[in-house]
Amino acid sequence: MGACVQYASAAGSRVLLVHDASREASVLDCRGIAEAYDEEGIATIRTAYETDTLAASLSGVQLVVACDVTFNQADAIQLEQWVKRGGGLMATGRAAFGLESLLGLQTVYPQASSDVDKVRFVTQHPAAYGSYWSGPMMEAAIMPATHQAPVAELFYRDRQWPAFVAEPGVGQVLARWAGVGPDPTMFGAAIVAHQYGAGRTLYSGALLGAYANWEWPYSWRTVVASASQWLSEGRPWVSLGYWPNAHVAAFSWTGDTETHSMPTAVPAILAVFERLGLARFGTFYVTADGDAPGQGFYAGAQQYPDVIERIVEAGSEVAGHGDFHRAFAGESLATQRARISGMLVTLNGLLSAYGERVRGFRAPFLSQDFTTFQALTDMGLEYDSGDADVWVASTLPNDSDGIWQLPPTMPMDWHLFVEHDVSSRDATTIFLDKLEYVVARRGLFSWLHHPWVIEPELDVLQSVLAYAVERGDLWMARQDDILDWWIAREQLSPIEVETVGAELRIRLANVSATRAVAGASVWLSIPQSVVSPPEFSIDGQPNTPIIREHAGALFAVVVLPALAPQQSVSITMTLGQGIFADDFAN
Ligand SMILES: [Zn+2]
């Protein structure tokens, strides 16, 4: 390869990211997009652009990502011919200059980034599946916007990064720029998809990677993942499953347990879990202390230690909801540490008899700040679940604040039943709609309830949980198990993919020196035209994949055996006749 490999390379990698090393925006865009591929377990080659070297770099590559970089004319011609033969191209920012017809554009021009602050998706398309949402939440706003997911918008708030507006030609507009402030004026096209010859292209006037490592860490990654898969249609797109054992998404029930109703409400909720066969499920965030029995509204483990014992005996998790039910935000580090320490003394005192301890926390009223995260880390807690998904624009676990976050899903029961007096039927519709939204992003549905709020609405709890269980493709789990899985998954290497004759060889390793990984899976997209799935073997042993339909695509999912520390595994896929068009089996 002529261009220098700056960061990482992987044998058999099929994604080439090209950036302009002299420009910060391009470097950052490349870094963020590469992190999206890291999340998917897809090995990438990152390269700084050097003129007249592109043709050599394209050999064996499945997808080119041009990160706000402009090519000279000779390289632009090479790229155009390569796409015409079946290659996939994702281009951002100024990469459109000189590639307009390849990208399905008439023209493209820079937009003063002070005039735009978000990208709004306007159509359903496989390249934007997880970004666009057409459920009831999009149609009628029952809830205030602050309680809803930013359904079809991705923010572009930090005005230092360039924005480009496209005038579409034959390409299809997936998203438009939207203006600053309450004015809903829509600007020109932001994201355009196009078919060119045998290949496909996607242009984004926003730098997709610019936010992937910043305040809104994950939402833009959804676009990178779904677009990459669409761009690769016709050739195998192999990625790492987000959840164990081929589950599409994760579902946890979490209950802020804080009032004198807990002696009746908690057993009623546990009975629902038991009826549905959920033996290890539910995380109760319990306040340590409250008002005296019969006095005041709040109560905790001090008042009802037997409730804590019932939770543990039922197989549910006990986590912390404060020493008392009072806000944490704004308190000093010393005070917050002392309050968490006091909470742990009470709760762990009750849990130790069962060999358990508190690992997670959620602040009363979701009132936490960065000091809280520091205090939690100092006191040895492992995760927080107070940074709502509508604030972080993420439905995945993330560690951007120094402690693992399991974002709770909004709206919660309190919003619907207490604040807005929504009917049981409408509440069920809203919850199911939000669940579909999270599943589209393969995220974590971390359902936030309060035993005292949901006790009169157990039918809603029962029906939504029953639906989730019956789907069969959701991982129903406690929050601590979700955390353990996510940390273990982080230990898996990028997937290496190699084609040899009619075989596709996939290799994956557990790079941890200490931790085993059980339930990992690789997802392989299959064109809809394929009637019978390809044959797989794992380390030479035949394996039957699980077939999943998701995000408008069909997947063969191979669940791997438990990987010991430092162990790697080889998966071989034998191609049937005519499974993949294009040049896959060359
Ligand atoms: Zn609370």
Side-chain angles (χ1 to χ4, degrees), residues 255-259 285 287 298 321 325-326 362-366 448-450 452:
D256 293 0
T257 308
E258 60 203 15
T259 73
Y285 290 86
T287 308
Y298 292 110
H321 195 44
H325 200 275
R326 294 168 199 157
R362 175 181 291 150
F365 315 110
L366 303 185
L448 199 169
H449 283 180
H450 301 73
W452 63 274

